[in-house]
Amino acid sequence: AVAAMVKETIRVYARVKPLGRRQQAGSYSVDNEELLPSLEITVPRDLADGFINNKRESYKFKFQKIFDQEAKQDVIFDSIAKPVAECVLAGYNGTIFAYGQTGSGKTFTITGGAERYSDRGIIPRTLSYIFDQLQKDSSKVYTTHVSYLEIYNECGYDLLDPRHETSKMEDLPKVTIMEDSDQNIHLKNLSLQQATNEEEALNLLFLGDTNRMIAETPMNQASSRSHCIFTIHITSKEPGSATIRRSKLHLVDLAGSERVAKTGIGGHLLTEAKYINLSLHYLEQVIIALAEKNRSHIPYRNSMMTSVLRDSLGGNCMTTMIAMLAMDKRNIDESISTCRFAQRVALIKNEAVLNEEIDPRLMIIQLKKEIQDLKDELALVTGKQRKSELSQEELLQLDELIETFLKDNDPDSSLDVGADMRKIKYCFVHMKQIINHPMTSGKKLLSKDISEEKNSNEELEKLKGLLQQRDNEINILVTMLKKEKKKARDTLSQLNATSAGSAVLEQSPSMSLEESQSPSRCSSLKEAKVSSSSIPRLPFPSRATGGKMSLGCQEAFEIFKQDHADSITIEDNKQLLKQRFDEAKCLGEKLNEVRNKINHLKGKIIQRQIQRAALAVLNPSEELTFDPVEENLRMKIEEEKKSYKTVYSRFKGLKVEIEHLQLLMEKVKMKVQKDFEVWWSEEAKKFQQEKPEMVDSPNTVNPVYPQFIRSSQHLSPISFSDTSRESPNEDPPVKNNSVTSGSPTLKTRTPPSSSIPLTGDSQADADILAFIKARQNILQKKGKSCQ
């Protein structure tokens, strides 16, 4: 029965209220014989409206079942509520709501009458039925909770708050609605009270009903002016199972649906009526939206009522509605509008799903047990305990097996590693590595000639690339040297004109370009020889490529650095940093001195106190008087403390300044390097474009290269940075701006004269050759000393 109810429309029933003593009966007829029972209401034309009156006279409505005036409470429960309660016990959500005008018997149907036991309504009977069923079913463990929510003037109140017995509505805790990411509604401040048996549950219902606000209206002295939702939450679990079933049953008593004009009320009762009408209007909107086929948005959020009943309307729930009808002449219009509403509700389809979830803690325990059982089973079959990881020996064994399998040319050969998933997985991973990276993991397995061929091809490509790069570097360097030479000439001519001290330079026109560039370069060259051997140089990392700069590139960088506008800033900052470091060192020493003094004075005071205490023990008659010596020592300590504080604050300030300066320097260096990288790549591009012409020119003879490379392989190149310093007494350059003295990446390809594109200016050419010779001499000497 339950399975069939999973996808169905909302079930709608009608109940007609018995007439009061003074009420005039309206005309209606019930036909329960048809497939779907129908209710026909006749409204005779009123002669006061005139003879021409187009109002309809008869209305016909279909219901699941219609209960006439004499229907008893137990029949109502059995037909309407019992099937829903059964579904809730099976793990589905359920809702029963009563709709109708004030005084049509909603509260009587849902909660019941107070006079006779047989007048009990749907809520007490459902509670009784549910607990009865739970007691009978010993196969599951059940827990039951109840909640009672009242919605009055669009505010929610918790009727089961344990701290409040019958009190003013405003004192009850306010319930607010919260929505999670999965659009599930959570009611904040609504208490869930556990009910272990029927008596406890009924007691909670009584408490909630007592807390309900009752307002007096002319229509019905005990009419409720609010919506009430009594919810039963049931959780069930089979012993030992990790599956939990959660279901809830909403029993809803809506406020009166009549039009405001009818009630003849004013003041705050009018406000109530407006709110009631508004929330019922929103309920109707939701129902209309659900009945329309192409509606994507359903306005559940418009009112608190529709938010709470979101599941019940068009959601995961078995929903039933009871339309309450008062069939006296005065209320016949309201009854017709109630029936119309009911017809719309009957169109809504709900999809109820079994609410099952897994208890993660129990699941973990079960899985652990299962793993242990499987391990024990494996140990029985294989005869040994299984660990999760393969041992080193097993891995080596597998490697050998794979190797022999790959070398074996027999098409029928197979790789047998036994029925062990770990070994099989390892083999697959290993094979994948061999296929993807034959150079690394599969070197020994693949036939040697293939790998050698690949290696030699790669090597060739690398060498070609390197050769191209070096050609570009040499070309750029030559251009730079020409510029430097021009500068040197200008300086020389200025020196000749201004100072007599330049006679030394004039005497040796055959000096190498290196030495004629500036007077200070000579001394820096000598110093360079010394410094480069004593300071281990770190390669300058090229940030763009993440690799190391080649020597040619490094030399160009050093020259570029000197010409760069920021080099002065770097120098100034260096000097300033040096001063600050020295000052900080002095201050540090001072701080230690003052600290030692204070400690010394403290020691003296303690000694003094010990001496006086000893005296007091010897002469107890003498009282301890004021000690001027101790006071004097304390004064000294205070003075030292003051000077300590001032020195310390200055020291702190210096530290901040030093850090700031270091940051500044780092920034400037980064900038210089970036500028250089941009410039260098542009220059390289230029030469690459001009390259074809150079290859054609008769000056470029290449056969000498290999032999030169061979001869210089054991040399340890010295960076140009050492020979191009501005001042002889400058600090060695910061680590990341210097080149390594033993960098093997570039085998100093400064080829003999024949391979450099000469300029045609005999003087310039002679200088360039002289520079290269001088450089080779330095490199050879350096190489010998390294060896």
Side-chain angles (χ1 to χ4, degrees):
V2 171
M5 289 174 70
V6 172
K7 192 171 184 174
E8 59 161 28
T9 52
I10 293 182
R11 297 184 164 207
V12 179
Y13 297 88
R15 186 180 190 184
V16 182
K17 186 193 176 185
L19 281 173
R21 264 177 307 189
R22 296 204 190 93
Q23 288 175 330
Q24 283 184 304
S27 175
Y28 75 94
S29 65
V30 175
D31 182 0
N32 266 329
E33 301 309 309
E34 291 179 48
L35 184 66
L36 268 179
S38 64
L39 170 75
E40 193 168 349
I41 303 171
T42 317
V43 184
R45 290 204 184 110
D46 190 346
L47 291 179
D49 287 345
F51 288 109
I52 300 162
N53 182 350
N54 293 331
K55 258 189 175 176
R56 273 175 64 182
E57 275 196 33
S58 97
Y59 299 84
K60 198 172 188 178
F61 303 104
K62 302 257 183 205
F63 290 95
Q64 201 86 34
K65 200 162 184 190
I66 298 155
F67 300 93
D68 215 340
Q69 299 183 26
E70 57 278 355
K72 295 277 176 280
Q73 292 281 61
D74 55 345
V75 178
I76 297 283
F77 169 75
D78 287 342
S79 311
I80 298 174
K82 198 174 169 183
V84 181
E86 280 169 3
C87 290
V88 171
L89 286 169
Y92 294 88
N93 293 337
T95 300
I96 299 171
F97 67 95
Y99 180 93
Q101 69 183 101
T102 303
S104 61
K106 294 189 305 298
T107 308
F108 180 79
T109 301
I110 293 290
T111 314
E115 288 83 33
R116 294 189 298 274
Y117 182 71
S118 60
D119 285 348
R120 284 174 309 145
I122 285 176
I123 298 179
R125 284 173 193 272
T126 305
L127 286 172
S128 173
Y129 174 75
I130 284 175
F131 282 106
D132 201 30
Q133 293 303 109
L134 297 189
Q135 263 179 338
K136 284 180 192 167
D137 183 7
S138 56
S139 66
K140 291 193 184 77
V141 180
Y142 289 96
T143 45
T144 320
H145 291 80
V146 297
S147 65
Y148 207 168
L149 168 72
E150 176 164 22
I151 300 172
Y152 174 75
N153 290 2
E154 267 314 285
C155 287
Y157 298 95
D158 179 13
L159 290 173
L160 295 184
D161 179 51
R163 292 162 300 187
H164 297 86
E165 302 284 316
T166 33
S167 58
K168 282 200 314 226
M169 168 69 85
E170 284 70 32
D171 297 342
L172 288 171
K174 274 226 170 111
V175 177
T176 50
I177 282 181
M178 302 181 90
E179 195 174 328
D180 65 19
S181 55
D182 299 329
Q183 295 196 325
N184 295 320
I185 293 292
H186 301 278
L187 297 164
K188 192 181 172 192
N189 266 351
L190 181 65
S191 60
L192 272 185
Q193 306 288 340
Q194 186 162 0
T196 46
N197 53 38
E198 186 186 343
E199 192 188 343
E200 278 178 29
L202 288 171
N203 182 42
L204 287 165
L205 173 66
F206 172 75
L207 170 79
D209 281 336
T210 318
N211 282 343
R212 274 182 76 169
M213 177 176 181
I214 306 298
E216 291 180 3
T217 70
M219 185 167 268
N220 181 356
Q221 292 303 300
S223 157
S224 60
R225 309 301 306 136
S226 55
H227 310 293
C228 286
I229 304 171
F230 184 84
T231 312
I232 307 163
H233 303 260
I234 300 173
T235 308
S236 68
K237 199 182 87 187
E238 283 180 30
S241 158
T243 313
I244 300 172
R245 278 185 183 176
R246 298 182 195 281
S247 53
K248 57 188 176 189
L249 171 58
H250 293 303
L251 299 163
V252 188
D253 180 7
L254 296 174
S257 62
E258 67 281 346
R259 290 189 292 277
V260 178
K262 193 96 177 257
T263 52
I265 52 176
H268 85 278
L269 288 180
L270 178 67
T271 314
E272 285 173 7
K274 279 181 192 164
Y275 271 118
I276 291 163
N277 275 15
L278 193 63
S279 72
L280 289 174
H281 164 68
Y282 285 133
L283 176 63
E284 195 161 350
Q285 272 193 346
V286 166
I287 282 160
I288 290 167
L290 284 164
E292 282 178 27
K293 286 208 168 50
N294 303 323
R295 277 290 282 273
S296 58
H297 172 69
I298 312 292
Y300 290 116
R301 283 202 191 88
N302 284 353
S303 75
M304 188 165 189
M305 181 73 201
T306 49
S307 295
V308 176
L309 292 182
R310 183 183 207 144
D311 270 357
S312 315
L313 304 165
N316 168 24
C317 192
M318 306 278 182
T319 306
T320 297
M321 171 185 163
I322 312 167
M324 306 303 303
L325 308 170
M327 282 301 189
D328 55 301
K329 269 187 181 164
R330 194 166 157 244
N331 292 322
I332 212 104
D333 286 355
E334 289 294 342
S335 295
I336 289 170
S337 65
T338 300
C339 287
R340 281 187 178 138
F341 180 71
Q343 302 303 295
R344 283 200 288 271
V345 173
L347 298 173
I348 298 171
K349 276 194 173 69
N350 273 7
E351 247 177 280
V353 184
L354 205 59
N355 299 303
E356 285 189 337
E357 57 186 71
I358 303 293
D359 183 345
R361 286 170 305 174
L362 281 170
M363 199 65 193
I364 289 166
I365 294 165
Q366 275 186 1
L367 289 172
K368 277 184 177 169
K369 188 175 175 297
E370 198 176 325
I371 288 167
Q372 196 48 54
D373 290 349
L374 289 170
K375 275 187 175 173
D376 295 345
E377 242 176 84
L378 256 177
L380 265 178
V381 176
T382 56
K384 56 182 174 186
Q385 278 291 331
R386 154 88 43 105
K387 292 189 196 73
S388 56
E389 295 297 322
L390 288 164
S391 69
Q392 205 59 41
E393 287 167 35
E394 285 175 308
L395 290 176
L396 284 169
Q397 222 171 348
L398 284 174
D399 283 355
E400 276 174 34
L401 274 173
I402 293 167
E403 199 170 332
T404 46
F405 171 67
L406 287 174
K407 280 181 181 170
D408 192 351
N409 292 329
D410 181 8
D412 297 331
S413 68
S414 65
L415 177 63
D416 185 21
V417 289
D420 187 340
M421 272 318 288
R422 299 166 309 158
K423 290 183 178 179
I424 293 167
K425 275 181 185 163
Y426 175 77
C427 287
F428 276 118
V429 172
H430 197 70
M431 299 277 244
K432 188 178 179 182
Q433 277 176 352
I434 292 170
I435 292 162
N436 289 349
H437 312 287
M439 287 308 119
T440 51
S441 55
K443 218 181 265 175
K444 40 192 173 177
L445 304 179
L446 295 172
S447 55
K448 281 182 183 173
D449 45 329
I450 295 174
S451 60
E452 274 171 18
E453 194 181 318
K454 274 197 176 174
N455 281 349
S456 61
N457 283 348
E458 277 184 19
E459 204 66 33
L460 203 67
E461 286 304 310
K462 270 187 197 166
L463 285 172
K464 273 186 189 168
L466 207 65
L467 201 69
Q468 176 59 52
Q469 198 185 332
R470 297 297 170 265
D471 280 345
N472 288 345
E473 283 174 9
I474 288 166
N475 291 331
I476 298 170
L477 280 170
V478 168
T479 325
M480 288 182 83
L481 283 169
K482 281 183 204 161
K483 281 184 194 165
E484 289 285 317
K485 186 187 174 301
K486 193 168 178 296
K487 263 195 213 166
R489 272 193 191 160
D490 297 346
T491 339
L492 266 177
S493 56
Q494 279 174 357
L495 282 170
N496 289 341
T498 51
S499 80
S502 63
V504 188
L505 285 166
E506 287 163 359
Q507 286 163 11
S508 63
S510 62
M511 269 175 122
S512 78
L513 169 73
E514 193 103 47
E515 289 157 337
S516 66
Q517 265 180 13
S518 77
S520 66
R521 290 279 166 86
C522 293
S523 51
S524 88
L525 207 150
K526 289 166 196 160
E527 186 168 313
K529 289 179 188 174
V530 182
S531 69
S532 67
S533 56
S534 59
I535 297 162
R537 291 286 160 90
L538 284 174
F540 187 100
S542 160
R543 285 179 184 81
T545 57
K548 295 176 180 176
M549 265 198 194
S550 68
L551 277 177
C553 196
Q554 176 65 32
E555 291 177 354
F557 178 64
E558 291 300 335
I559 297 173
F560 180 85
K561 207 162 65 174
Q562 287 157 14
D563 293 342
H564 199 282
D566 290 329
S567 62
I568 302 161
T569 322
I570 293 179
E571 285 311 311
D572 291 351
N573 278 348
K574 261 193 195 170
Q575 293 304 322
L576 203 58
L577 256 178
K578 199 165 182 301
Q579 286 172 16
R580 293 289 176 268
F581 269 126
D582 293 345
E583 201 176 328
K585 199 175 169 189
C586 290
L587 285 174
E589 284 166 6
K590 226 182 204 174
L591 277 178
N592 284 337
E593 233 173 84
V594 175
R595 205 182 282 134
N596 290 340
K597 269 189 195 171
I598 290 173
N599 287 340
H600 181 66
L601 289 168
K602 274 186 189 165
K604 275 190 174 176
I605 287 178
I606 291 165
Q607 251 180 327
R608 184 85 189 158
Q609 284 171 342
I610 291 168
Q611 285 171 358
R612 296 194 69 204
L615 279 172
V617 171
L618 290 173
N619 305 327
S621 55
E622 275 184 38
E623 275 186 32
L624 282 177
T625 50
F626 172 76
D627 183 12
V629 180
E630 192 176 317
E631 193 53 37
N632 193 18
L633 286 170
R634 284 186 193 281
M635 295 279 281
K636 277 184 186 170
I637 284 181
E638 281 308 310
E639 280 168 34
E640 292 297 339
K641 263 189 188 170
K642 273 180 197 164
S643 67
Y644 181 84
K645 274 179 189 166
T646 48
V647 174
Y648 184 71
S649 62
R650 172 80 188 118
F651 182 71
K652 256 180 123 174
L654 260 184
K655 199 177 165 201
V656 172
E657 197 178 333
I658 286 171
E659 279 170 10
H660 181 68
L661 279 172
Q662 283 173 329
L663 252 171
L664 275 180
M665 275 189 78
E666 201 49 46
K667 271 187 186 165
V668 177
K669 281 176 189 164
M670 292 278 282
K671 184 173 173 283
V672 173
Q673 197 206 324
K674 273 191 183 133
D675 290 351
F676 170 71
E677 279 164 7
V678 171
W679 175 83
W680 179 258
S681 61
E682 279 170 9
E683 288 292 313
K685 268 184 210 158
K686 268 187 221 165
F687 281 107
Q688 213 141 0
Q689 285 155 6
E690 293 163 20
K691 189 179 151 237
E693 302 147 35
M694 289 179 187
V695 174
D696 300 339
S697 77
N699 289 342
T700 46
V701 184
N702 278 3
V704 209
Y705 275 24
Q707 148 232 335
F708 178 77
I709 290 169
R710 268 203 302 282
S711 69
S712 65
Q713 243 156 19
H714 58 271
L715 299 187
S716 171
I718 177 172
S719 81
F720 185 64
S721 63
D722 302 323
T723 61
S724 60
R725 287 266 181 70
E726 289 300 347
S727 62
N729 55 355
E730 183 190 319
D731 297 345
V734 184
K735 276 181 194 170
N736 62 348
N737 278 12
S738 56
V739 81
T740 136
S741 56
S743 158
T745 48
L746 202 203
K747 313 289 191 219
T748 39
R749 272 185 67 266
T750 357
S753 54
S754 58
S755 67
I756 289 184
L758 298 177
T759 58
D761 170 356
S762 57
Q763 179 60 51
D765 291 343
D767 282 346
I768 288 167
L769 296 177
F771 157 66
I772 288 164
K773 266 188 193 161
R775 179 155 172 63
Q776 270 176 262
N777 292 340
I778 292 167
L779 288 172
Q780 279 163 353
K781 282 178 194 164
K782 181 89 179 74
K784 282 171 191 165
S785 67
C786 284
Q787 280 180 326

